Amino acid sequence: MATNTDKVDVVALHDEFFNVIAEAFPKLLHLHYGCTPASEDSRSLFGLVGRSTRGQLRLLDEMCAAAGMADWPAASHGLDLGCGLGGTSLELHRRYGFRMTGLNINRQQCGQARRRVDRYGTEADIAVVRGDGTGNPLRTGSFDFVVAIEIAFHVGRKDRLFAEVARVLRPGGRFVLVDQEWAEETQAHELMFYPERGTYERLAADCGMTLERHVDLSADVARWMVDYARMASPALSAATVLGIGLSGRPRLAWRFAKGFSFFNRFVLEDAGTRGLDVEGVGRWGAVRRLRQFFAEELASGRAVHGVWVLRREERSN
Ligand SMILES: C[S@@+](CC[C@H](N)C(=O)[O-])C[C@H]1O[C@@H](n2cnc3c(N)ncnc32)[C@H](O)[C@@H]1O
């Protein structure tokens, strides 16, 4: 069946929307989900944005703790696969002194990440390289560890992604993956490819990596998602576009408005393919409903958001 978003390049429009967000908010560093512990599960709309940002840093705390990064040598060289705006590279360098290389497929995001790295004066320790995680230009065996936060669910050929990680890791190096697995494989457009349970451990084993630790963050991510769902509001979106326009950037405000429009249409179709009843709720209602659905799936344990700490064997066969 032909759909609205079939007629357009969904990946290009999705990238454009995130490029606009990156341009509009130069201080934004993270494009990943977050963790909200039960102690902070507020029903209040007040403090929503602050809670969301704290949640994103908490997800990094959980990742670092799961992998035991505090005990790794400061001289370690890490690859930040799908580095987005460079926030993870910056944070790992700031916390532990690691030398980092960020890799991203999106040219504009690479530029945005470089600008952020320059702003913090860390360009000597953090390189940003443009490339595809499923076939990258990086040297074999040149990294002590690889982190990948929420890139794997964007990649259809996860076998290639894992093979490339195994290739660039030194023997004994670690792959720290933060991502999702669902009860059954689920795809939305050519952008989201959620694998079924057990996929990451199997793919890792296929290329000589073994699971050292898995930490399930689903309950905390589900709580964070509830806030994320509440952020999908016409008033908040209109205020954002207006704010950008009033700050003297009318073209950017216009691109933002167009980006919202595409994103909502994309979500509406995604909700439809999952069989969610979004009849009569409007576009913003559909965004909320889809995010609530994610929260329910995570809270029920049907979907898992977690950290997989994988270790490349000392000797590959
Ligand atoms: C959800 S964002 C997460 C960004 C970043 N890891 C973070 O935590 O803020 C996914 C990122 O993966 C990047 N990406 C998607 N497919 C990729 C691929 N095949 N190779 C490299 N990067 C990719 C996107 O451009 C985007 O920056």
Side-chain angles (χ1 to χ4, degrees), residues 5-235:
T5 43
D6 284 338
K7 295 187 202 107
V8 296
D9 183 342
V10 174
V11 176
L13 284 170
H14 187 268
D15 280 355
E16 155 69 2
F17 187 41
F18 282 91
N19 292 339
V20 173
I21 292 175
E23 275 180 54
F25 302 107
K27 290 199 174 143
L28 182 73
L29 290 171
H30 303 284
L31 297 177
H32 53 78
Y33 296 140
C35 287
T36 302
S39 55
E40 210 186 325
D41 188 17
S42 167
R43 295 288 104 199
S44 159
L45 275 178
F46 186 71
L48 194 65
V49 176
R51 255 198 327 272
S52 169
T53 309
R54 277 198 302 283
Q56 289 181 311
L57 284 174
R58 229 179 256 122
L59 184 107
L60 287 187
D61 296 344
E62 295 288 354
M63 176 189 83
C64 296
M69 284 187 188
D71 298 326
W72 294 359
S76 299
H77 185 194
L79 171 64
D80 179 5
L81 200 58
C83 68
L85 304 176
T88 302
S89 293
L90 277 162
E91 198 58 30
L92 295 187
H93 175 66
R94 192 186 64 75
R95 289 184 188 193
Y96 308 114
F98 300 152
R99 186 158 65 91
M100 299 296 301
T101 297
L103 182 95
N104 207 318
I105 198 165
N106 178 317
R107 187 189 303 279
Q108 279 91 348
Q109 267 183 34
C110 285
Q112 290 288 347
R114 277 190 204 105
R115 272 192 279 287
R116 282 155 171 82
V117 166
D118 291 353
R119 193 176 322 125
Y120 286 89
T122 43
E123 59 271 33
D125 301 299
I126 303 176
V128 178
V129 176
R130 182 167 179 237
D132 184 341
T134 62
N136 67 62
L138 303 165
R139 261 202 6 254
T140 299
S142 54
F143 292 95
D144 298 300
F145 68 94
V146 175
V147 291
I149 304 185
E150 295 168 23
I151 158 178
F153 61 37
H154 284 302
V155 175
R157 291 299 305 265
K158 294 185 197 349
D159 54 338
R160 291 192 184 156
L161 189 77
F162 273 65
E164 279 294 82
V165 169
R167 182 183 68 75
V168 301
L169 268 180
R170 67 162 169 79
R174 290 192 173 80
F175 178 27
V176 184
L177 175 76
V178 179
D179 220 278
Q180 295 190 355
E181 283 181 342
W182 284 53
E184 42 190 65
E185 200 175 294
T186 318
Q187 182 182 346
H189 305 288
E190 57 266 45
L191 261 175
M192 311 300 283
F193 305 86
Y194 299 102
E196 62 180 356
R197 298 285 284 269
T199 301
Y200 294 134
E201 197 175 345
R202 178 178 53 74
L203 287 173
D206 288 349
C207 43
M209 293 189 279
T210 46
L211 182 67
E212 267 191 347
R213 194 156 181 227
H214 172 65
V215 177
D216 187 340
L217 304 174
S218 306
D220 285 359
V221 175
R223 270 187 288 271
W224 187 89
M225 281 276 178
V226 173
D227 269 345
Y228 191 42
R230 294 153 86 205
M231 277 184 179
S233 108

